[in-house]
Amino acid sequence: MKSRVGSQGSLEEGKDSVTKVVTQYKPLSIRLLQFLLLFLGIGIVFSLLSMCMVRYSVMQNVIPMVQSRFQPCFQQLSLESWIRPPSSLLHSMNDTQLFWRASIVPQIKEYPFNRTRKIAFMFLTRGPIPLAPLWERFFKGNEKLYSIYIHSLPSYKPDFPPSSVFQGRQVPSQEAKWGRMSMCDAERRLLANALLDISNEWFILLSEACIPLHNFKAIYHYISKSRYSFMGAVDEPGPFGRGRYNPNMAPEVNITDWRKGSQWFEVNRKLAVDIVKDEVYHPKFEQFCRPACYVDEHYFPTMLTIESPRLLANRTLTWVDWSRGGAHPAAFGKADINDQFFKRISESPTCAYNNQPTSLCYLFARKFAPSALGPLLEHSTKFLGF
């Protein structure tokens, strides 16, 4: 019995010992488990925060790209976007595209905005404009009333100073050969680029050898108040007039329509559009008016005589001297710039202005060599009025 009791006592004591050990480790296990759970929870929270931050960063980079690629279905267009002139004259349009774009005309005559009418001065050159300083003085102070366009050889790289009114005014160009249709195409290219600015109302073709004979205000007033455009369109008999006509141009062009005029012209916006959009007369002149038929003397005068004869003053605004004979007019240099020279220009025969006789017939003159620039600048106030 004692042994059984002793054995039982030993078992109970062992049981108590185990219970004490388990009881001692139980709080420690719970605390460890709680710590692990807390650590796991913190880890999960940090992981979620990290994922959110990464996702936010990615979205910030992606959204602008998506917005730039996808425009809303309904954009708010303004009138300004339609009438604003091109910010740059450089573009990738070919002639067909350019002429189509330039020939788009509003069908309502009244403009729904305040439109300041400008003169487009279009310079058809081979390269530099040696008389640019004189033109700079002419344009100064009239920035809202003019625009400038230059068509030069494609190989020419202009070097106008940044402050020049000619800087950045070159239009995409192609080679133009004297007496060929490529010359008229260059003129049409100038007109088309100028037509992209809806404020341009009058268009003057000039060369690098031209000078203005009066100040800007006088020229602007003369052109803006005229009821006619200034393009010569003479029915000239003889070998240098009707003698250049080719019967293959009929029926679009008959010999009674055949006209001759100076290459240097001024036209209003309506006639500029007519020239640019032409697809009827251009093929005939390109095919059947070749040297000794000089297309730049006949194409526009003949076409506009057929289409809009009542809008032409039938004279040019550019004075030239053909008295020395030859295929080209006389050129003038430093020694020619004097009182007698400009008096000879001003005393030219009278002409008609708005159907009334006038002695003021020329606004420009050519051909002036680079050597004439010095005396022209020195005496511009006396001879030219600016």
Side-chain angles (χ1 to χ4, degrees):
M1 291 292 293
K2 288 182 179 180
S3 62
R4 290 180 63 185
V5 171
S7 298
Q8 186 174 1
S10 299
L11 288 174
E12 288 178 355
E13 289 176 1
K15 192 184 229 182
D16 290 340
S17 299
V18 172
T19 302
K20 287 180 181 181
V21 172
V22 171
T23 303
Q24 290 176 353
Y25 281 99
K26 187 174 182 180
L28 181 62
S29 300
I30 293 174
R31 284 198 299 269
L32 180 61
L33 180 61
Q34 289 174 341
F35 177 78
L36 291 175
L37 290 174
L38 178 62
F39 183 79
L40 180 62
I42 293 173
I44 292 173
V45 170
F46 273 103
S47 298
L48 291 174
L49 288 174
S50 299
M51 291 172 62
C52 290
M53 291 296 291
V54 171
R55 186 174 181 182
Y56 176 79
S57 177
V58 171
M59 291 299 293
Q60 288 295 308
N61 293 327
V62 170
I63 288 175
M65 296 176 60
V66 173
Q67 289 177 340
S68 65
R69 294 180 181 178
F70 297 97
Q71 300 297 328
C73 296
F74 300 98
Q75 283 188 318
Q76 187 175 4
L77 296 177
S78 65
L79 181 63
E80 178 68 19
S81 65
W82 289 96
I83 65 176
R84 187 189 307 114
S87 58
S88 172
L89 298 185
L90 299 179
H91 55 76
S92 60
M93 290 184 286
N94 59 35
D95 281 351
T96 301
Q97 296 167 336
L98 174 64
F99 295 163
W100 177 87
R101 172 64 183 85
S103 63
I104 298 176
V105 179
Q107 298 303 303
I108 298 177
K109 293 183 179 181
E110 295 295 327
Y111 290 89
F113 57 93
N114 293 326
R115 177 175 179 257
T116 300
R117 300 181 299 172
K118 298 190 297 186
I119 298 176
F121 291 83
M122 308 179 302
F123 289 85
L124 181 60
T125 76
R126 294 186 61 81
I129 302 177
L131 304 174
L134 182 68
W135 283 102
E136 299 265 6
R137 185 178 295 182
F138 167 77
F139 287 122
K140 188 175 181 180
N142 300 282
E143 286 72 19
K144 294 182 179 181
L145 298 176
Y146 72 86
S147 52
I148 295 172
Y149 302 86
I150 304 171
H151 187 292
S152 56
L153 290 175
S155 59
Y156 173 68
K157 305 300 180 184
D159 57 351
F160 297 109
S163 60
S164 173
V165 296
F166 295 100
Q167 173 62 30
R169 303 311 297 175
Q170 283 71 27
V171 302
S173 63
Q174 298 180 30
E175 185 177 3
K177 294 183 178 180
W178 180 71
R180 298 285 185 174
M181 182 55 86
S182 60
M183 183 69 73
C184 292
D185 289 339
E187 296 168 10
R188 296 175 80 203
R189 208 170 288 123
L190 278 166
L191 285 169
N193 279 282
L195 282 168
L196 298 182
D197 185 345
I198 200 168
S199 295
N200 288 330
E201 183 63 26
W202 305 284
F203 306 78
I204 301 173
L205 183 67
L206 302 160
S207 77
E208 70 271 29
C210 286
I211 67 167
L213 293 175
H214 306 278
N215 61 51
F216 186 92
K217 290 183 178 179
I219 289 179
Y220 186 91
H221 182 271
Y222 194 97
I223 291 174
S224 63
K225 297 300 180 181
S226 175
R227 297 197 296 267
Y228 303 98
S229 289
F230 295 93
M231 178 177 290
V234 180
D235 184 4
E236 182 180 310
F240 304 114
R242 287 197 176 196
R244 294 174 175 175
Y245 174 76
N246 188 325
N248 289 316
M249 302 183 77
E252 287 81 5
V253 180
N254 297 307
I255 194 168
T256 54
D257 304 318
W258 189 253
R259 295 293 185 272
K260 181 180 179 180
S262 170
Q263 178 183 4
W264 314 105
F265 60 79
E266 178 275 329
V267 293
N268 63 20
R269 191 171 183 90
K270 190 268 180 192
L271 296 183
V273 172
D274 288 345
I275 291 173
V276 166
K277 73 178 185 180
D278 172 47
E279 294 180 322
V280 176
Y281 307 101
H282 185 279
K284 290 289 185 178
F285 277 90
E286 184 175 31
Q287 185 175 0
F288 299 114
C289 184
R290 302 192 175 194
C293 175
Y294 299 102
V295 67
D296 53 276
E297 295 181 355
H298 296 282
Y299 174 30
F300 299 155
T302 300
M303 181 189 71
L304 294 182
T305 295
I306 298 172
E307 296 293 328
S308 304
R310 295 182 180 181
L311 298 181
L312 301 180
N314 193 18
R315 64 181 179 91
T316 182
L317 292 176
T318 303
W319 181 89
V320 293
D321 182 5
W322 291 97
S323 62
R324 302 178 189 178
H328 301 282
F332 306 100
K334 180 178 181 180
D336 298 298
I337 309 304
N338 52 48
D339 291 273
Q340 290 74 22
F341 177 78
F342 286 97
K343 184 178 180 181
R344 181 157 65 98
I345 296 176
S346 63
E347 292 180 349
S348 300
T350 60
C351 58
Y353 178 77
N354 288 339
N355 301 322
Q356 299 297 320
T358 180
S359 59
L360 181 54
C361 300
Y362 297 108
L363 304 184
F364 309 96
R366 66 184 303 267
K367 281 175 101 170
F368 290 85
S371 64
L373 177 61
L376 284 172
L377 287 173
E378 183 179 355
H379 301 292
S380 65
T381 303
K382 178 181 179 181
F383 295 145
L384 308 176
F386 62 89

